[in-house]
Amino acid sequence: MQIVAVGWQVYQLTHSAFDLGMVGLVQFLPALFLALVVGHVADRYDRRKIARICLFIEGLAAAALAVGSYHGWLTKEAIFAIVFVIGATRAFESPTLQALVPGLVPPKLLPRAIAWSASATQTAVIIGPALGGFMYVMGPSAVYTSSSVLFIGASLLVSLIRIESVLPRREPATVKSLLAGIAFIKSRPAILGAISLDLFAVLLGGATALLPIYAHDILATGPLGLGLLRSAPAVGALSTAIFLARRPLSRRVGHTMFAAVAVFGVATMVFALSHWFILSLMALAVLGASDMISVVVRSSFVQLETPDHMRGRVSAVNSVFIGTSNQLGEFESGVTAAWLGPVHAVLLGGVGTIVVVVLWIRLFPTLFGLDRLANPHAATTATVKTS
């Protein structure tokens, strides 16, 4: 809900594609500068407490957006400042949650757990933007207030997680330990290939930052239509995630992941050229479905190949790649749209995604030929205690 409100409010204030891109940039920069620190924190301290604190701060940030909108002092600069705080908070939250999940289930169930977790997330992503677009009729403060309540509620729910496990020995904070996540990924080309494939594919092919322009200027649907456009990728992603949770991929996972990224690029091109609202929704749904296949394979592969004491730092590096592809991708889309126009910018991104797939097949043949997801760290799993 908050993403829709911020995007629509910024575009109403500025009518600038560049400023829409700036929303993504100011969220990404904290993750980039804090990457080494947050990974070390996630490996040294209770991951549940970190997630709980982060969600609570996000709730306070959403409350600030609500108050500013209600009293009319929320300017473009103020929105960017608050979004920067949210970005800094998520820099800690994202790798912490990624590293937390493998400790909740046995390794053999991790791909299903990631798929079910993605299903829950995508359900919220479907409901949230549509509801946010509908609630925006009552004003942005209504959307932000609801978001604040939900963030604080999520913080309380995280506190209910119980895990019976021994916390790892706190490794001294040295330059070597801070850089350990980078060194680990560098030593395993297949992991580097998996996360960099997602980086460049979404960086080039991301069209979501320009959805306010498509909804306002090309498809003429208004904020409710923007909410539906935002939800469409999640509809495709949710259906795919549920399918993968019930029928996880067992063979030729490398081929499947590369094929999914190629479909992502084609769907992006179709959306770029569409002037029909229904076709645009369908293209975005296919885009979301193909991206979910890549996410489940990549996330399962990276987590299964990483020992628990390293997961925070590896997840932090992975989060930078994800943030680069999402937030920096939004900035790239905004800048390209300002130069070439939104249609040509999205079309060029789709073509670029196809080119990346072809190059990565040649650069990372081991990843492309990956047949099964392995279980190298099965003995390190924690036992879960329900609360």
Side-chain angles (χ1 to χ4, degrees):
M1 293 192 299
Q2 186 170 277
I3 289 173
V4 169
V6 168
W8 191 262
Q9 191 171 26
V10 167
Y11 193 63
Q12 280 192 322
L13 288 172
T14 67
H15 292 282
S16 168
F18 180 81
D19 286 328
L20 282 178
M22 283 295 297
V23 173
L25 180 63
V26 297
Q27 288 184 81
F28 165 72
L29 288 178
L32 177 63
F33 291 120
L34 294 173
L36 299 179
V37 175
V38 300
H40 209 276
V41 169
D43 282 336
R44 285 168 57 91
Y45 299 98
D46 190 332
R47 292 162 183 166
R48 295 164 297 175
K49 291 183 180 179
I50 298 171
R52 185 167 68 244
I53 294 171
C54 290
L55 287 163
F56 185 77
I57 294 175
E58 287 181 79
L60 296 181
L65 288 170
V67 172
S69 297
Y70 182 79
H71 291 287
W73 54 259
L74 196 64
T75 62
K76 175 188 71 175
E77 290 75 18
I79 293 175
F80 288 160
I82 295 173
V83 168
F84 182 87
V85 172
I86 294 173
T89 304
R90 289 182 179 170
F92 285 89
E93 177 190 336
S94 180
T96 300
L97 291 178
Q98 289 180 47
L100 181 62
V101 172
L104 303 178
V105 296
K108 67 178 182 179
L109 296 179
L110 182 60
R112 290 191 178 192
I114 289 176
W116 279 119
S117 177
S119 299
T121 300
Q122 294 304 327
T123 299
V125 173
I126 292 170
I127 297 172
L131 185 59
F134 177 78
M135 291 181 64
Y136 199 93
V137 176
M138 296 181 286
S141 59
V143 183
Y144 296 137
T145 300
S146 301
S147 299
S148 177
V149 171
L150 291 172
F151 276 126
I152 294 174
S155 177
L156 295 175
L157 289 174
V158 169
S159 67
L160 300 179
I161 296 175
R162 297 289 181 266
I163 307 176
E164 292 181 349
S165 62
V166 179
L167 287 176
R169 180 177 61 86
R170 292 183 178 177
E171 185 179 352
T174 63
V175 174
K176 181 179 179 180
S177 67
L178 289 174
L179 297 175
I182 297 175
F184 182 85
I185 293 174
K186 184 179 178 181
S187 68
R188 287 160 174 79
I191 294 180
L192 177 61
I195 62 178
S196 60
L197 174 65
D198 178 78
L199 162 67
F200 287 103
V202 180
L203 176 63
L204 293 172
T208 54
L210 303 180
L211 289 182
I213 298 177
Y214 269 82
H216 190 278
D217 299 336
I218 297 175
L219 300 173
T221 61
L224 181 57
L226 174 60
L228 294 175
L229 290 171
R230 281 280 188 183
S231 297
V235 171
L238 174 61
S239 58
T240 303
I242 293 175
F243 178 81
L244 292 176
R246 297 179 63 87
R247 296 179 178 273
L249 298 172
S250 58
R251 301 294 300 272
R252 299 173 64 84
V253 293
H255 285 68
T256 302
M257 181 176 66
F258 277 92
V261 177
V263 171
F264 178 91
V266 173
T268 300
M269 295 166 63
V270 172
F271 173 78
L273 298 174
S274 172
H275 285 72
W276 182 32
F277 184 65
I278 300 300
L279 178 60
S280 298
L281 289 176
M282 293 173 61
L284 289 173
V286 172
L287 183 150
S290 57
D291 184 52
M292 179 52 60
I293 295 173
S294 173
V295 166
V296 170
V297 174
R298 173 177 48 81
S299 299
S300 301
F301 176 68
V302 172
Q303 295 294 350
L304 286 171
E305 292 290 322
T306 306
D308 185 68
H309 71 278
M310 286 288 301
R311 283 188 175 126
R313 281 163 287 183
V314 171
S315 295
V317 178
N318 190 29
S319 293
V320 171
F321 278 73
I322 295 173
T324 301
S325 63
N326 292 330
Q327 277 77 49
L328 193 58
E330 291 182 5
F331 177 71
E332 178 272 334
S333 296
V335 172
T336 307
W339 289 344
L340 305 176
V343 174
H344 289 92
V346 177
L347 182 62
L348 182 63
V351 174
T353 300
I354 304 297
V355 173
V356 166
V357 170
V358 175
L359 288 176
W360 257 238
I361 290 175
R362 296 180 62 87
L363 291 174
F364 301 96
T366 303
L367 179 63
F368 180 65
L370 183 66
D371 188 44
R372 297 176 183 269
L373 294 171
N375 262 347
H377 308 291
T380 63
T381 307
T383 303
V384 180
K385 176 182 177 182
T386 57
S387 58

